[in-house]
Amino acid sequence: MSKRILHTSDWHTGRKLKEHDRLEEFRKFFAWLEDVIARENIDALIVSGDIFDTTAPSPKAQELYYSFLGTTSCRNTVIISGNHDSPSLIDAPAEIMKLCKTHVIGRAYDDSSKEAIILYDPDGQPEFIVCAVPYLRDRDIRRASPDDDPESIERSMKDGIMKHYSGAIGRALEIRGDSDVPVIAMGHLFLEAGRTLEDEGVRSLYVGTAVKVGTDIFPEDVAYTALGHLHSPQEVGRENIRYSGSPVAMTFGEASGPAKTVSIVEFEGRNFSGVKEIPVPVFQRLERVSGGSVQEIGRKIEALGSENVSIWLEVTYTGSEAIGDIQGSLEDYVRDYPLLEILSVRDEGSYKDITEDLEGFTGKTLDDITPERMFERLIEGRDYSEEQRETFKAMYREILHKIAAGEN
Ligand SMILES: [Mn+2]
C-alpha cells in the first residue's frame, strides 16, 4: 500500500510586508492546508524550517501555528527549525507537542543519531523514519579556533554538516534494516545546485550566503529529502530531493516569480514513487507597477483597480524628471479603488546618480545590486593583493551569513 507525506517549508508565519500585517493570509493558508491534508489522505506532515519569520514571533503568529497543530487531522507531524527561527522557542513545547503526535527539533543534538525519529501508523507499526536535522548553526557543527581563517571556517562548516548528516542518516538506515519503511531526510540548507530568485534577477534577502553543500550528502538509500531555505519550489539533482518553496510570497519579487506550492510525495514500500505539486491559492495579490510618468503609472493602477480585488502595489517610477511627491500624486488614482493599496514607491531616478558613478552598475537600481557585488566594487579600486581581496570577500560573506542566520 502506498503512503504519502505533505512536504512544506518556509512559512515565515508572522511575516510583515512594509509594516503591513499578513496574519489574515496565514490564517487562510493554514485553513487551506488542513483541507489538503484531509482531502489527500496525508499520513505525515513534514515542515522543513523557517516556521516563523523572526526569532521572537508575536503572540498572534504563535497562536495561528499552535491552533493549526492542535486541530490538524494529520496523524504525524515533524517540524525542524530554520535560520529564521529561535531554536529554543521551537523546542520549548516539545514534550507537550508529542501528545499531539508532533515532533519538533529546534536545536541540533550533539549526537545527531538522536535526530532519527520513527513515525508509527494507527496499528503501532513503523511507517516512516525521519532524519529531522534542523538548520545547523556554526556552533552546532564546529569548534572555533584562534587559527581560523574564512576559508578554513567554510571548510570545517562543510565537514561538520556532512558529519552531522551522516550520523543521522546512518542511524535511520540502521533502524530501517531490511524493512519496507521509507527513510526521509529533512534539512534547512543551501544545496550547491539550488536555484534562488536572485538567479532569475530578483534579489533575495532570505537566503544570504550560507555555506553550500553537494547533494551527495543524501545517499541513494534515502527515499526522499525534504528541504527548506530556498523559496522557489524545485528538485535538486534528483526527483526525490526537493525544496517545497514558501507557500506565501514573502516579497513583491517572489510574487512575480514561480507559483507557490506544497509537495505531496508518495512511497511504495520503502521507495519514492512520485511527487505532485499542489499550487497554493494567492490569498493577497501583490503587483509591481512601473512607469516613466505619473500618468503612465496611473493608467496601470486604474486597470488593476477595475479588477475589483484586493491588490497591494509596489510602484517604481523610472522617469528622469524629478517629481517631489510621487506617492501624493498617485493617491488621486487609488482614491477611487478602495481595494488597492500602495505599499511602497521607489524612485529609480534618484538612485541613478549613485549607481552611474559606479562602473558596471549603470541602469541598475540599488535593489538589483547584491551586497557581495557592491562590496567587490568597493575593494576593486584599492591597492590590495589578490590574496587580501579574497580574504576580505570571504570575511564579508561570513558577516552576511551571520546576519541572514540571525546570529549576533
Ligand atoms: Mn526561508
Side-chain angles (χ1 to χ4, degrees), residues 219-236:
E220 300 270 351
D221 263 5
V222 170
Y224 181 72
T225 300
L227 298 172
H229 196 45
L230 303 185
H231 286 186
S232 299
Q234 59 192 290
E235 61 179 62
V236 186

Side-chain angles (χ1 to χ4, degrees), residues 12 26 58 76 89 99 104 122 125 129 143 147 161 169 192 200 223 231 281 291 315 322 328 368:
H12 290 269
F26 288 108
S58 70
N76 286 297
L89 184 111
L99 299 176
V104 292
Q125 297 303 312
I129 303 161
R143 221 178 292 256
D147 303 325
I161 292 171
I169 292 172
E192 271 155 16
E200 288 146 31
H231 286 186
V315 174
D368 298 322

Side-chain angles (χ1 to χ4, degrees), residues 10 12 50 83-84 188 206 229 231:
D10 296 271
H12 290 269
D50 283 357
N83 55 312
H84 280 255
H188 192 88
Y206 271 78
H229 196 45
H231 286 186

